[in-house]
Structures are given as C-alpha cells and as structure tokens.
Amino acid sequence: MAKPIVACVVGTRPDTIKTAPVVLELQKYRDVCEPMLIATGQHREMLDQALHAFGIRPDVDLDIMRVGQTLSEVTSRALDGLERTFKERKPDFLLAQGDTATTFVASLAAFYHRIPFGHIEAGLRTPTIDDPFPEEFYRRATALVSGQHYPPTHWAKENLIREGHPTESVFVTGNTGIDAVLRIAEQVPQDWLPDHQGRVFLVTTHRRENWGEPQKRIAQACRILVDRYEDAVMVVAMHRNPIVRETLESVLGGHPRVRLIEPPEYARFVKLIQRATLILTDSGGVQEEAPAFGIPVLVLRETTERPEGVERGNAKLVGTDKDLIVQEAIRLMEDPAAYEAMSKSASPYGDGLAAPRIRFLALGALGVETPEVPMWES
Ligand code: UDP
C-alpha cells in the first residue's frame, strides 16, 4: 500500500521557523509516511533564510512573490499554485502554521480538495478581527476548516472551545517555535558583539498596524534610550519591508551606537536574543522565544494574542506611546528588582516536544500508529 503523503505548507519567516521542527520530525518517519514540503515563496529571502537554518528544502516551490505584492495577489497566486500542486500530487493530510496568508490559503485549498487539515499554533486570538491585520482573520478562518487544532497553550485551547470547535479535535501541544529555538540555541556558538561588555537593546518592529506614525514613535523612544545609556548598543534587526526600513533609518540612522542591520538568519538572531539585556519588539515569535532564555520583553503593541508571557511576568505590553516605552525601559534598567522579576527563565509556550506530538496526531488521523508523547500541561 502507498504511504500517505503528509504535506506542510510554508511561506514566510515565522511560519517556516515554526513548521521546520514538524518537517524534521516527519522525516524521521519516512518508513510509514511520505513527508512533503510546499513553499509558496510569499516572502522570498526570509523564507529561504529560515529553511537554510534547518537544512531543509521544499519539494515544491510556488515562488509567488512579486515586488509590491498586495494581499489579494498573494492570496490568488498561492491558491492557484496549490491548486496546480494538488492536481499533480494530492496530499493525504495538510499542515500549516499560524496566521499568514499562506496558512489561510493552504487551509482553503485543503477545504476545496477535501484534504484533512491540521493547524499548528491554533487558537491565538485578540478581540477584534482586524487587529492584528490581517493575521487575526487568517487564524480564525483557518480554524473553521481544521480537522485537528494544535493550540500551544490551554488559553489558546479555551479560545477554540469557546468558538464551538469540538473538544476531541483540539490538542494542546506546546508551540513548535520553542522546539525550534531550543534546537537552534544548542547548535550555534555565541558569535555576537564579542568585544562589547555593556548593555544590548534588541529591537524588531514590522507589524502592519505599526507602520507610519506608531513606528516613528517607537524609533524615537529607542533613540532616547540609547542616548541615555552610554554603555548600550542598540541592534535593530530590520524587516525587509521598505516602509518599515524608511522610518527606522530616518530616526535612528547615523547614530554611533545603533546598528541597523539586515535581518540576521535565525541562528544568529537567536544568539542575539540570548545576548540581549532588553528586547523591544512587536513580533509574535520573539515574544515567545525570549522568555525561554529569561530575557525581558517590552511588547510594542496595544494587544497581544500571547498573554501567557505577560501573566508570568516575562513580558509587558507597552504599546507604541513614546513616553510609555521610555518610562518602562528606564524602570527596568534602573530598578534591579523590576529587572530581576522580568528575567526569570520560563516556558509558558512549550517544552520543546510540540513537533513529535503533532506527528503522532497527524499520522494517527491517517491510521498510522507512531510513538505517543503525552500532551503538554501548560
Ligand atoms: N527572526 C529572525 N531574524 C530576524 C528577526 C526575527 O530569524 O531578524 C525570527 C525570530 O526569532 C522568530 C521569527 O523570526 O522566530 C519571528 O518572525 P517575525 O517577527 O517576522 O514574525 P511574527 O512572529 O511576528 O509573526
């Protein structure tokens, strides 16, 4: 009998990083399944960088990215590409992660083709469908067609149950992003700022809802902070998006202790997280990774679909108000007890075994028995 094809679909940096552990896990079970990796190429360079970090290659590359692409174009090109792929080789099970356009389109294509779908990092929610835009819509819509949901935490599970998804389809696995970050942190030697003894502020900001004025206020706050602490170096890992870069360059460019750098590849970025004194970010993934190393995070957003880090005291929501960002950062830098309280190493998002749990569940849905890993007690 032919082995079932289990396909993972990726398209951007975060969904690739968080899907990679599942791809690698499925590859260990090639005797009972045929793993397949489909890349839409939604974000070309950052996707390739992320794949490279894990030494994996797509079996199918739809290469859809175009300069200045709109969300509608990404959606239609990805759907068209998946349609062609499924006509050639229809997977028996499809997996995609999180809240990207690629993930939403993969779930829609799976629905059209009646392919069972498993959603990695299911159940994250904010109260409003357009914040974060468009991700909140993508993850809610993806849940509608998922046969199996893999929420990282119990909070995410409860969100799904509240929406009416059957309990028996919802499995708390932990976040595969923790599998990824622990794996990479082990592999790579420390290689950042070897001669710098002082503080390191690590900054990333790319969210669409922060483009323009909010991002400008973030950059201004960063400038005030780096000016205040003369021993500090501020590393700003810039997203490839030109709108984001323009704002950051106009406010922070030319400062002798601000390094506006191209997005480092994942392994180097993880080393930067570990080296950071304080992280200021609007990234979802970074909010999850930093607590694993006990690095305090100021979240540059008004809402978060990741309340667990805030509840455990590893992260604090500061939004995009310049004065509030500065005030919170100063408090942490100048009140050792406040800093200490936010630096406890914790794992609110996973224990590093999410991928084997997902492998067990997805293959189990196809009637293929593989070793079980007890579900995660978050
Ligand atoms: N990341 C990276 N290089 C960077 C910035 C982030 O490898 O310059 C990683 C980060 O460690 C995390 C993921 O990319 O795993 C987060 O991606 P992003 O912030 O773009 O998306 P989000 O998590 O907000 O959806």
Side-chain angles (χ1 to χ4, degrees), residues 192-193 195-203 222 225-227 229-236 255-261 272 275-278 280 333:
W192 271 97
L193 306 162
D195 304 322
H196 175 68
Q197 304 302 322
R199 294 166 225 249
V200 176
F201 297 132
L202 174 61
V203 181
C222 286
L225 285 175
V226 75
D227 278 338
Y229 300 104
E230 283 176 7
D231 68 323
V233 161
M234 179 168 277
V235 182
V236 184
H255 193 289
R257 285 180 289 108
V258 175
R259 304 200 186 169
L260 293 171
I261 58 169
L272 259 179
R275 175 68 179 83
T277 314
L278 175 65
L280 298 104
M333 288 305 98

PDB file of all heavy atoms in Angstrom, residues 192-193 195-203 222 225-227 229-236 255-261 272 275-278 280 333:
ATOM      1  N   TRP A 192      28.073  37.003  18.675  1.00  0.00           N
ATOM      2  CA  TRP A 192      27.664  38.394  18.512  1.00  0.00           C
ATOM      3  C   TRP A 192      28.398  39.300  19.466  1.00  0.00           C
ATOM      4  O   TRP A 192      28.571  38.976  20.620  1.00  0.00           O
ATOM      5  CB  TRP A 192      26.169  38.543  18.761  1.00  0.00           C
ATOM      6  CG  TRP A 192      25.377  38.346  17.516  1.00  0.00           C
ATOM      7  CD1 TRP A 192      24.769  37.193  17.125  1.00  0.00           C
ATOM      8  CD2 TRP A 192      25.141  39.299  16.491  1.00  0.00           C
ATOM      9  NE1 TRP A 192      24.156  37.378  15.920  1.00  0.00           N
ATOM     10  CE2 TRP A 192      24.360  38.661  15.496  1.00  0.00           C
ATOM     11  CE3 TRP A 192      25.508  40.633  16.291  1.00  0.00           C
ATOM     12  CZ2 TRP A 192      23.949  39.308  14.337  1.00  0.00           C
ATOM     13  CZ3 TRP A 192      25.082  41.273  15.144  1.00  0.00           C
ATOM     14  CH2 TRP A 192      24.311  40.612  14.182  1.00  0.00           C
ATOM     15  N   LEU A 193      28.777  40.458  18.982  1.00  0.00           N
ATOM     16  CA  LEU A 193      29.322  41.522  19.810  1.00  0.00           C
ATOM     17  C   LEU A 193      30.347  40.998  20.818  1.00  0.00           C
ATOM     18  O   LEU A 193      30.249  41.281  22.013  1.00  0.00           O
ATOM     19  CB  LEU A 193      28.179  42.218  20.569  1.00  0.00           C
ATOM     20  CG  LEU A 193      27.017  42.737  19.711  1.00  0.00           C
ATOM     21  CD1 LEU A 193      25.790  42.999  20.565  1.00  0.00           C
ATOM     22  CD2 LEU A 193      27.422  43.996  18.970  1.00  0.00           C
ATOM     23  N   ASP A 195      33.240  41.833  21.611  1.00  0.00           N
ATOM     24  CA  ASP A 195      34.054  42.808  22.344  1.00  0.00           C
ATOM     25  C   ASP A 195      33.237  43.799  23.155  1.00  0.00           C
ATOM     26  O   ASP A 195      33.784  44.673  23.802  1.00  0.00           O
ATOM     27  CB  ASP A 195      34.939  43.598  21.365  1.00  0.00           C
ATOM     28  CG  ASP A 195      35.794  42.643  20.551  1.00  0.00           C
ATOM     29  OD1 ASP A 195      36.258  41.640  21.129  1.00  0.00           O
ATOM     30  OD2 ASP A 195      35.958  42.894  19.341  1.00  0.00           O
ATOM     31  N   HIS A 196      31.923  43.644  23.088  1.00  0.00           N
ATOM     32  CA  HIS A 196      31.074  44.628  23.766  1.00  0.00           C
ATOM     33  C   HIS A 196      30.655  44.090  25.133  1.00  0.00           C
ATOM     34  O   HIS A 196      30.022  43.051  25.239  1.00  0.00           O
ATOM     35  CB  HIS A 196      29.845  44.906  22.889  1.00  0.00           C
ATOM     36  CG  HIS A 196      28.858  45.815  23.543  1.00  0.00           C
ATOM     37  ND1 HIS A 196      29.120  47.145  23.793  1.00  0.00           N
ATOM     38  CD2 HIS A 196      27.600  45.593  24.020  1.00  0.00           C
ATOM     39  CE1 HIS A 196      28.076  47.688  24.390  1.00  0.00           C
ATOM     40  NE2 HIS A 196      27.150  46.772  24.539  1.00  0.00           N
ATOM     41  N   GLN A 197      31.007  44.825  26.180  1.00  0.00           N
ATOM     42  CA  GLN A 197      30.697  44.363  27.536  1.00  0.00           C
ATOM     43  C   GLN A 197      29.385  44.937  28.058  1.00  0.00           C
ATOM     44  O   GLN A 197      28.832  44.432  29.019  1.00  0.00           O
ATOM     45  CB  GLN A 197      31.821  44.759  28.512  1.00  0.00           C
ATOM     46  CG  GLN A 197      33.201  44.270  28.119  1.00  0.00           C
ATOM     47  CD  GLN A 197      33.259  42.744  27.984  1.00  0.00           C
ATOM     48  OE1 GLN A 197      32.643  42.013  28.756  1.00  0.00           O
ATOM     49  NE2 GLN A 197      33.963  42.265  26.959  1.00  0.00           N
ATOM     50  N   GLY A 198      28.920  46.008  27.455  1.00  0.00           N
ATOM     51  CA  GLY A 198      27.777  46.744  28.008  1.00  0.00           C
ATOM     52  C   GLY A 198      26.439  46.137  27.647  1.00  0.00           C
ATOM     53  O   GLY A 198      26.329  44.981  27.232  1.00  0.00           O
ATOM     54  N   ARG A 199      25.394  46.978  27.829  1.00  0.00           N
ATOM     55  CA  ARG A 199      24.030  46.525  27.538  1.00  0.00           C
ATOM     56  C   ARG A 199      23.810  46.350  26.043  1.00  0.00           C
ATOM     57  O   ARG A 199      24.432  47.045  25.235  1.00  0.00           O
ATOM     58  CB  ARG A 199      23.011  47.601  27.962  1.00  0.00           C
ATOM     59  CG  ARG A 199      22.914  47.863  29.410  1.00  0.00           C
ATOM     60  CD  ARG A 199      22.133  49.181  29.575  1.00  0.00           C
ATOM     61  NE  ARG A 199      22.823  49.991  30.540  1.00  0.00           N
ATOM     62  CZ  ARG A 199      22.352  50.263  31.763  1.00  0.00           C
ATOM     63  NH1 ARG A 199      21.173  49.845  32.137  1.00  0.00           N
ATOM     64  NH2 ARG A 199      23.051  50.975  32.609  1.00  0.00           N
ATOM     65  N   VAL A 200      22.869  45.461  25.742  1.00  0.00           N
ATOM     66  CA  VAL A 200      22.425  45.304  24.348  1.00  0.00           C
ATOM     67  C   VAL A 200      20.900  45.434  24.334  1.00  0.00           C
ATOM     68  O   VAL A 200      20.204  44.676  25.020  1.00  0.00           O
ATOM     69  CB  VAL A 200      22.833  43.926  23.771  1.00  0.00           C
ATOM     70  CG1 VAL A 200      22.259  43.756  22.358  1.00  0.00           C
ATOM     71  CG2 VAL A 200      24.348  43.767  23.763  1.00  0.00           C
ATOM     72  N   PHE A 201      20.421  46.417  23.595  1.00  0.00           N
ATOM     73  CA  PHE A 201      18.976  46.517  23.353  1.00  0.00           C
ATOM     74  C   PHE A 201      18.707  45.918  21.981  1.00  0.00           C
ATOM     75  O   PHE A 201      19.320  46.346  20.997  1.00  0.00           O
ATOM     76  CB  PHE A 201      18.510  47.982  23.358  1.00  0.00           C
ATOM     77  CG  PHE A 201      18.695  48.686  24.676  1.00  0.00           C
ATOM     78  CD1 PHE A 201      19.288  49.946  24.724  1.00  0.00           C
ATOM     79  CD2 PHE A 201      18.270  48.114  25.865  1.00  0.00           C
ATOM     80  CE1 PHE A 201      19.447  50.610  25.928  1.00  0.00           C
ATOM     81  CE2 PHE A 201      18.432  48.770  27.078  1.00  0.00           C
ATOM     82  CZ  PHE A 201      19.033  50.014  27.111  1.00  0.00           C
ATOM     83  N   LEU A 202      17.819  44.956  21.942  1.00  0.00           N
ATOM     84  CA  LEU A 202      17.472  44.334  20.651  1.00  0.00           C
ATOM     85  C   LEU A 202      16.068  44.796  20.257  1.00  0.00           C
ATOM     86  O   LEU A 202      15.136  44.707  21.065  1.00  0.00           O
ATOM     87  CB  LEU A 202      17.522  42.810  20.782  1.00  0.00           C
ATOM     88  CG  LEU A 202      17.055  42.006  19.565  1.00  0.00           C
ATOM     89  CD1 LEU A 202      17.914  42.301  18.328  1.00  0.00           C
ATOM     90  CD2 LEU A 202      17.112  40.499  19.871  1.00  0.00           C
ATOM     91  N   VAL A 203      15.949  45.283  19.041  1.00  0.00           N
ATOM     92  CA  VAL A 203      14.674  45.846  18.588  1.00  0.00           C
ATOM     93  C   VAL A 203      14.240  45.195  17.281  1.00  0.00           C
ATOM     94  O   VAL A 203      15.048  45.047  16.352  1.00  0.00           O
ATOM     95  CB  VAL A 203      14.815  47.381  18.338  1.00  0.00           C
ATOM     96  CG1 VAL A 203      13.478  47.979  17.895  1.00  0.00           C
ATOM     97  CG2 VAL A 203      15.336  48.088  19.583  1.00  0.00           C
ATOM     98  N   CYS A 222      13.406  54.599  21.060  1.00  0.00           N
ATOM     99  CA  CYS A 222      14.677  53.861  21.010  1.00  0.00           C
ATOM    100  C   CYS A 222      15.853  54.833  21.040  1.00  0.00           C
ATOM    101  O   CYS A 222      16.852  54.601  21.719  1.00  0.00           O
ATOM    102  CB  CYS A 222      14.741  53.024  19.731  1.00  0.00           C
ATOM    103  SG  CYS A 222      13.671  51.593  19.802  1.00  0.00           S
ATOM    104  N   LEU A 225      16.465  56.137  24.477  1.00  0.00           N
ATOM    105  CA  LEU A 225      17.061  55.121  25.354  1.00  0.00           C
ATOM    106  C   LEU A 225      18.548  54.937  25.094  1.00  0.00           C
ATOM    107  O   LEU A 225      19.356  54.879  26.020  1.00  0.00           O
ATOM    108  CB  LEU A 225      16.345  53.783  25.166  1.00  0.00           C
ATOM    109  CG  LEU A 225      14.970  53.700  25.797  1.00  0.00           C
ATOM    110  CD1 LEU A 225      14.300  52.387  25.439  1.00  0.00           C
ATOM    111  CD2 LEU A 225      15.099  53.834  27.321  1.00  0.00           C
ATOM    112  N   VAL A 226      18.896  54.839  23.833  1.00  0.00           N
ATOM    113  CA  VAL A 226      20.308  54.589  23.534  1.00  0.00           C
ATOM    114  C   VAL A 226      21.145  55.817  23.907  1.00  0.00           C
ATOM    115  O   VAL A 226      22.294  55.692  24.333  1.00  0.00           O
ATOM    116  CB  VAL A 226      20.497  54.116  22.075  1.00  0.00           C
ATOM    117  CG1 VAL A 226      20.367  55.231  21.077  1.00  0.00           C
ATOM    118  CG2 VAL A 226      21.809  53.371  21.902  1.00  0.00           C
ATOM    119  N   ASP A 227      20.554  56.995  23.819  1.00  0.00           N
ATOM    120  CA  ASP A 227      21.282  58.198  24.244  1.00  0.00           C
ATOM    121  C   ASP A 227      21.486  58.197  25.757  1.00  0.00           C
ATOM    122  O   ASP A 227      22.507  58.636  26.261  1.00  0.00           O
ATOM    123  CB  ASP A 227      20.496  59.463  23.845  1.00  0.00           C
ATOM    124  CG  ASP A 227      20.743  59.839  22.395  1.00  0.00           C
ATOM    125  OD1 ASP A 227      21.786  59.426  21.842  1.00  0.00           O
ATOM    126  OD2 ASP A 227      19.887  60.524  21.802  1.00  0.00           O
ATOM    127  N   TYR A 229      21.787  55.594  27.849  1.00  0.00           N
ATOM    128  CA  TYR A 229      22.709  54.584  28.398  1.00  0.00           C
ATOM    129  C   TYR A 229      23.946  54.485  27.505  1.00  0.00           C
ATOM    130  O   TYR A 229      23.911  53.859  26.449  1.00  0.00           O
ATOM    131  CB  TYR A 229      21.990  53.234  28.528  1.00  0.00           C
ATOM    132  CG  TYR A 229      20.811  53.346  29.445  1.00  0.00           C
ATOM    133  CD1 TYR A 229      19.515  53.387  28.944  1.00  0.00           C
ATOM    134  CD2 TYR A 229      21.008  53.477  30.818  1.00  0.00           C
ATOM    135  CE1 TYR A 229      18.431  53.537  29.793  1.00  0.00           C
ATOM    136  CE2 TYR A 229      19.914  53.636  31.673  1.00  0.00           C
ATOM    137  CZ  TYR A 229      18.639  53.662  31.164  1.00  0.00           C
ATOM    138  OH  TYR A 229      17.570  53.838  32.010  1.00  0.00           O
ATOM    139  N   GLU A 230      25.016  55.100  27.975  1.00  0.00           N
ATOM    140  CA  GLU A 230      26.177  55.227  27.105  1.00  0.00           C
ATOM    141  C   GLU A 230      26.934  53.926  26.896  1.00  0.00           C
ATOM    142  O   GLU A 230      27.757  53.802  26.006  1.00  0.00           O
ATOM    143  CB  GLU A 230      27.102  56.325  27.643  1.00  0.00           C
ATOM    144  CG  GLU A 230      26.523  57.679  27.302  1.00  0.00           C
ATOM    145  CD  GLU A 230      27.308  58.832  27.878  1.00  0.00           C
ATOM    146  OE1 GLU A 230      28.394  58.581  28.452  1.00  0.00           O
ATOM    147  OE2 GLU A 230      26.820  59.966  27.753  1.00  0.00           O
ATOM    148  N   ASP A 231      26.665  52.949  27.774  1.00  0.00           N
ATOM    149  CA  ASP A 231      27.330  51.648  27.600  1.00  0.00           C
ATOM    150  C   ASP A 231      26.524  50.748  26.650  1.00  0.00           C
ATOM    151  O   ASP A 231      26.904  49.611  26.408  1.00  0.00           O
ATOM    152  CB  ASP A 231      27.456  50.926  28.948  1.00  0.00           C
ATOM    153  CG  ASP A 231      26.097  50.509  29.495  1.00  0.00           C
ATOM    154  OD1 ASP A 231      25.123  51.282  29.316  1.00  0.00           O
ATOM    155  OD2 ASP A 231      25.980  49.411  30.059  1.00  0.00           O
ATOM    156  N   ALA A 232      25.412  51.266  26.137  1.00  0.00           N
ATOM    157  CA  ALA A 232      24.499  50.388  25.378  1.00  0.00           C
ATOM    158  C   ALA A 232      24.756  50.429  23.875  1.00  0.00           C
ATOM    159  O   ALA A 232      25.091  51.465  23.304  1.00  0.00           O
ATOM    160  CB  ALA A 232      23.055  50.794  25.640  1.00  0.00           C
ATOM    161  N   VAL A 233      24.558  49.258  23.281  1.00  0.00           N
ATOM    162  CA  VAL A 233      24.486  49.165  21.829  1.00  0.00           C
ATOM    163  C   VAL A 233      23.053  48.745  21.524  1.00  0.00           C
ATOM    164  O   VAL A 233      22.512  47.887  22.208  1.00  0.00           O
ATOM    165  CB  VAL A 233      25.486  48.112  21.305  1.00  0.00           C
ATOM    166  CG1 VAL A 233      25.117  47.659  19.900  1.00  0.00           C
ATOM    167  CG2 VAL A 233      26.895  48.667  21.306  1.00  0.00           C
ATOM    168  N   MET A 234      22.459  49.397  20.525  1.00  0.00           N
ATOM    169  CA  MET A 234      21.102  49.012  20.138  1.00  0.00           C
ATOM    170  C   MET A 234      21.162  48.326  18.778  1.00  0.00           C
ATOM    171  O   MET A 234      21.657  48.904  17.812  1.00  0.00           O
ATOM    172  CB  MET A 234      20.215  50.244  20.076  1.00  0.00           C
ATOM    173  CG  MET A 234      18.797  49.925  19.666  1.00  0.00           C
ATOM    174  SD  MET A 234      17.744  51.351  19.953  1.00  0.00           S
ATOM    175  CE  MET A 234      17.334  51.211  21.683  1.00  0.00           C
ATOM    176  N   VAL A 235      20.707  47.083  18.757  1.00  0.00           N
ATOM    177  CA  VAL A 235      20.712  46.338  17.497  1.00  0.00           C
ATOM    178  C   VAL A 235      19.282  46.287  16.974  1.00  0.00           C
ATOM    179  O   VAL A 235      18.381  45.786  17.658  1.00  0.00           O
ATOM    180  CB  VAL A 235      21.249  44.902  17.690  1.00  0.00           C
ATOM    181  CG1 VAL A 235      21.300  44.166  16.351  1.00  0.00           C
ATOM    182  CG2 VAL A 235      22.632  44.935  18.329  1.00  0.00           C
ATOM    183  N   VAL A 236      19.080  46.848  15.794  1.00  0.00           N
ATOM    184  CA  VAL A 236      17.742  46.872  15.200  1.00  0.00           C
ATOM    185  C   VAL A 236      17.763  45.950  13.981  1.00  0.00           C
ATOM    186  O   VAL A 236      18.401  46.250  12.969  1.00  0.00           O
ATOM    187  CB  VAL A 236      17.346  48.310  14.779  1.00  0.00           C
ATOM    188  CG1 VAL A 236      15.912  48.340  14.250  1.00  0.00           C
ATOM    189  CG2 VAL A 236      17.518  49.283  15.934  1.00  0.00           C
ATOM    190  N   HIS A 255      23.279  57.037  14.065  1.00  0.00           N
ATOM    191  CA  HIS A 255      23.649  57.067  15.488  1.00  0.00           C
ATOM    192  C   HIS A 255      24.823  56.107  15.704  1.00  0.00           C
ATOM    193  O   HIS A 255      24.785  54.965  15.247  1.00  0.00           O
ATOM    194  CB  HIS A 255      22.447  56.637  16.338  1.00  0.00           C
ATOM    195  CG  HIS A 255      22.649  56.929  17.796  1.00  0.00           C
ATOM    196  ND1 HIS A 255      23.548  56.221  18.578  1.00  0.00           N
ATOM    197  CD2 HIS A 255      22.089  57.852  18.612  1.00  0.00           C
ATOM    198  CE1 HIS A 255      23.522  56.712  19.808  1.00  0.00           C
ATOM    199  NE2 HIS A 255      22.637  57.699  19.845  1.00  0.00           N
ATOM    200  N   PRO A 256      25.874  56.588  16.403  1.00  0.00           N
ATOM    201  CA  PRO A 256      27.080  55.747  16.509  1.00  0.00           C
ATOM    202  C   PRO A 256      26.873  54.425  17.245  1.00  0.00           C
ATOM    203  O   PRO A 256      27.632  53.481  17.069  1.00  0.00           O
ATOM    204  CB  PRO A 256      28.078  56.629  17.270  1.00  0.00           C
ATOM    205  CG  PRO A 256      27.243  57.704  17.901  1.00  0.00           C
ATOM    206  CD  PRO A 256      26.038  57.890  17.045  1.00  0.00           C
ATOM    207  N   ARG A 257      25.862  54.343  18.123  1.00  0.00           N
ATOM    208  CA  ARG A 257      25.671  53.089  18.860  1.00  0.00           C
ATOM    209  C   ARG A 257      24.396  52.345  18.467  1.00  0.00           C
ATOM    210  O   ARG A 257      23.945  51.461  19.174  1.00  0.00           O
ATOM    211  CB  ARG A 257      25.718  53.372  20.368  1.00  0.00           C
ATOM    212  CG  ARG A 257      27.151  53.639  20.854  1.00  0.00           C
ATOM    213  CD  ARG A 257      27.231  53.921  22.330  1.00  0.00           C
ATOM    214  NE  ARG A 257      26.665  55.216  22.661  1.00  0.00           N
ATOM    215  CZ  ARG A 257      25.514  55.393  23.291  1.00  0.00           C
ATOM    216  NH1 ARG A 257      24.799  54.350  23.665  1.00  0.00           N
ATOM    217  NH2 ARG A 257      25.067  56.605  23.551  1.00  0.00           N
ATOM    218  N   VAL A 258      23.833  52.729  17.329  1.00  0.00           N
ATOM    219  CA  VAL A 258      22.677  51.981  16.818  1.00  0.00           C
ATOM    220  C   VAL A 258      23.123  51.207  15.584  1.00  0.00           C
ATOM    221  O   VAL A 258      23.707  51.776  14.668  1.00  0.00           O
ATOM    222  CB  VAL A 258      21.508  52.920  16.426  1.00  0.00           C
ATOM    223  CG1 VAL A 258      20.376  52.115  15.781  1.00  0.00           C
ATOM    224  CG2 VAL A 258      20.993  53.670  17.649  1.00  0.00           C
ATOM    225  N   ARG A 259      22.899  49.931  15.606  1.00  0.00           N
ATOM    226  CA  ARG A 259      23.232  49.119  14.427  1.00  0.00           C
ATOM    227  C   ARG A 259      21.948  48.705  13.726  1.00  0.00           C
ATOM    228  O   ARG A 259      21.201  47.858  14.237  1.00  0.00           O
ATOM    229  CB  ARG A 259      24.012  47.880  14.831  1.00  0.00           C
ATOM    230  CG  ARG A 259      25.251  48.260  15.604  1.00  0.00           C
ATOM    231  CD  ARG A 259      26.267  47.172  15.600  1.00  0.00           C
ATOM    232  NE  ARG A 259      27.347  47.567  16.480  1.00  0.00           N
ATOM    233  CZ  ARG A 259      28.309  46.779  16.876  1.00  0.00           C
ATOM    234  NH1 ARG A 259      28.324  45.516  16.491  1.00  0.00           N
ATOM    235  NH2 ARG A 259      29.266  47.221  17.673  1.00  0.00           N
ATOM    236  N   LEU A 260      21.696  49.335  12.606  1.00  0.00           N
ATOM    237  CA  LEU A 260      20.537  48.958  11.795  1.00  0.00           C
ATOM    238  C   LEU A 260      21.016  47.853  10.870  1.00  0.00           C
ATOM    239  O   LEU A 260      21.768  48.099   9.939  1.00  0.00           O
ATOM    240  CB  LEU A 260      20.063  50.151  10.967  1.00  0.00           C
ATOM    241  CG  LEU A 260      19.477  51.334  11.744  1.00  0.00           C
ATOM    242  CD1 LEU A 260      19.264  52.525  10.828  1.00  0.00           C
ATOM    243  CD2 LEU A 260      18.154  50.945  12.393  1.00  0.00           C
ATOM    244  N   ILE A 261      20.622  46.641  11.163  1.00  0.00           N
ATOM    245  CA  ILE A 261      21.189  45.520  10.408  1.00  0.00           C
ATOM    246  C   ILE A 261      20.122  44.801   9.575  1.00  0.00           C
ATOM    247  O   ILE A 261      18.934  44.857   9.883  1.00  0.00           O
ATOM    248  CB  ILE A 261      21.887  44.493  11.335  1.00  0.00           C
ATOM    249  CG1 ILE A 261      20.899  43.953  12.386  1.00  0.00           C
ATOM    250  CG2 ILE A 261      23.100  45.099  12.018  1.00  0.00           C
ATOM    251  CD1 ILE A 261      21.434  42.755  13.170  1.00  0.00           C
ATOM    252  N   LEU A 272      21.455  36.584  19.298  1.00  0.00           N
ATOM    253  CA  LEU A 272      21.236  37.979  19.699  1.00  0.00           C
ATOM    254  C   LEU A 272      20.216  38.064  20.830  1.00  0.00           C
ATOM    255  O   LEU A 272      20.387  38.846  21.766  1.00  0.00           O
ATOM    256  CB  LEU A 272      20.681  38.764  18.516  1.00  0.00           C
ATOM    257  CG  LEU A 272      21.643  39.644  17.746  1.00  0.00           C
ATOM    258  CD1 LEU A 272      20.925  40.321  16.588  1.00  0.00           C
ATOM    259  CD2 LEU A 272      22.257  40.708  18.656  1.00  0.00           C
ATOM    260  N   ARG A 275      21.854  37.239  23.982  1.00  0.00           N
ATOM    261  CA  ARG A 275      22.817  38.257  24.406  1.00  0.00           C
ATOM    262  C   ARG A 275      22.144  39.546  24.892  1.00  0.00           C
ATOM    263  O   ARG A 275      22.777  40.398  25.515  1.00  0.00           O
ATOM    264  CB  ARG A 275      23.760  38.546  23.214  1.00  0.00           C
ATOM    265  CG  ARG A 275      24.762  39.655  23.390  1.00  0.00           C
ATOM    266  CD  ARG A 275      25.818  39.289  24.436  1.00  0.00           C
ATOM    267  NE  ARG A 275      26.814  40.344  24.595  1.00  0.00           N
ATOM    268  CZ  ARG A 275      26.642  41.427  25.360  1.00  0.00           C
ATOM    269  NH1 ARG A 275      25.537  41.596  26.024  1.00  0.00           N
ATOM    270  NH2 ARG A 275      27.611  42.324  25.471  1.00  0.00           N
ATOM    271  N   ALA A 276      20.837  39.692  24.595  1.00  0.00           N
ATOM    272  CA  ALA A 276      20.169  40.972  24.848  1.00  0.00           C
ATOM    273  C   ALA A 276      19.963  41.228  26.341  1.00  0.00           C
ATOM    274  O   ALA A 276      19.710  40.316  27.124  1.00  0.00           O
ATOM    275  CB  ALA A 276      18.822  41.000  24.134  1.00  0.00           C
ATOM    276  N   THR A 277      20.061  42.512  26.709  1.00  0.00           N
ATOM    277  CA  THR A 277      19.717  42.944  28.060  1.00  0.00           C
ATOM    278  C   THR A 277      18.205  43.151  28.131  1.00  0.00           C
ATOM    279  O   THR A 277      17.556  42.818  29.117  1.00  0.00           O
ATOM    280  CB  THR A 277      20.404  44.296  28.380  1.00  0.00           C
ATOM    281  OG1 THR A 277      21.761  44.223  27.961  1.00  0.00           O
ATOM    282  CG2 THR A 277      20.305  44.643  29.847  1.00  0.00           C
ATOM    283  N   LEU A 278      17.671  43.710  27.045  1.00  0.00           N
ATOM    284  CA  LEU A 278      16.238  44.014  26.962  1.00  0.00           C
ATOM    285  C   LEU A 278      15.829  43.931  25.494  1.00  0.00           C
ATOM    286  O   LEU A 278      16.586  44.363  24.613  1.00  0.00           O
ATOM    287  CB  LEU A 278      15.992  45.432  27.501  1.00  0.00           C
ATOM    288  CG  LEU A 278      14.558  45.974  27.397  1.00  0.00           C
ATOM    289  CD1 LEU A 278      13.615  45.164  28.278  1.00  0.00           C
ATOM    290  CD2 LEU A 278      14.509  47.448  27.804  1.00  0.00           C
ATOM    291  N   LEU A 280      12.864  44.962  22.713  1.00  0.00           N
ATOM    292  CA  LEU A 280      11.666  45.749  22.387  1.00  0.00           C
ATOM    293  C   LEU A 280      11.171  45.227  21.052  1.00  0.00           C
ATOM    294  O   LEU A 280      11.904  45.293  20.052  1.00  0.00           O
ATOM    295  CB  LEU A 280      12.011  47.238  22.285  1.00  0.00           C
ATOM    296  CG  LEU A 280      12.545  47.865  23.579  1.00  0.00           C
ATOM    297  CD1 LEU A 280      14.043  48.063  23.511  1.00  0.00           C
ATOM    298  CD2 LEU A 280      11.862  49.184  23.852  1.00  0.00           C
ATOM    299  N   MET A 333      15.820  49.237  33.580  1.00  0.00           N
ATOM    300  CA  MET A 333      17.270  49.443  33.603  1.00  0.00           C
ATOM    301  C   MET A 333      17.744  49.966  34.957  1.00  0.00           C
ATOM    302  O   MET A 333      18.865  49.729  35.367  1.00  0.00           O
ATOM    303  CB  MET A 333      17.686  50.437  32.505  1.00  0.00           C
ATOM    304  CG  MET A 333      17.600  49.907  31.095  1.00  0.00           C
ATOM    305  SD  MET A 333      18.539  48.382  30.843  1.00  0.00           S
ATOM    306  CE  MET A 333      17.284  47.167  30.980  1.00  0.00           C
TER     307      MET A 333
END
